[in-house]
Amino acid sequence: VQLQASGGGLVQAGGSLTLSCAHSGSVFSINTMGWYRQAPGKQRELVARISSGGSTNYADSVKGRFTFSRNNAKNTVYLQMNSLKPEDTAVYFCNAEGLGPFLEVFNSWGQGTQVTVSS
């Protein structure tokens, strides 16, 4: 599956951004989709994840500020980010895990999108 992320940019602290990730390609199922981020000098970390059943989980650092949603008709997931903080600055990556058309396991990453929050 191919993932195309968009929506990053530069925003002041307290502002909002919405990231989008469109997926395409043949799959048998997508079990989870997630947003991860990687700040300079740090490891990639999970931001939010949604299961095929619609349940979501968030990193403690973003709970109450970020919302993960999806539009199945558009094969797109979104990450609404509110009350952004300078520490949210990172490259954000979209991820999908599931089964391909021949039931092979896949774990795909989109290209990153830069989010920069100025103080």
Side-chain angles (χ1 to χ4, degrees), residues 4 19 29 31 43 45 47 50 53 56 61 75 78 81-82:
Q4 182 68 43
L19 305 183
S29 65
N31 298 328
Q43 289 189 331
E45 63 175 0
V47 177
I50 191 167
T56 54
S61 58
N75 289 340
Y78 307 92
M81 305 184 293
N82 298 326

Side-chain angles (χ1 to χ4, degrees), residues 2 10 47 80 90 93 102 108 111:
Q2 292 77 47
L10 172 64
V47 177
Q80 173 68 43
F93 297 90
F102 303 102
S108 297
Q111 89 290 6

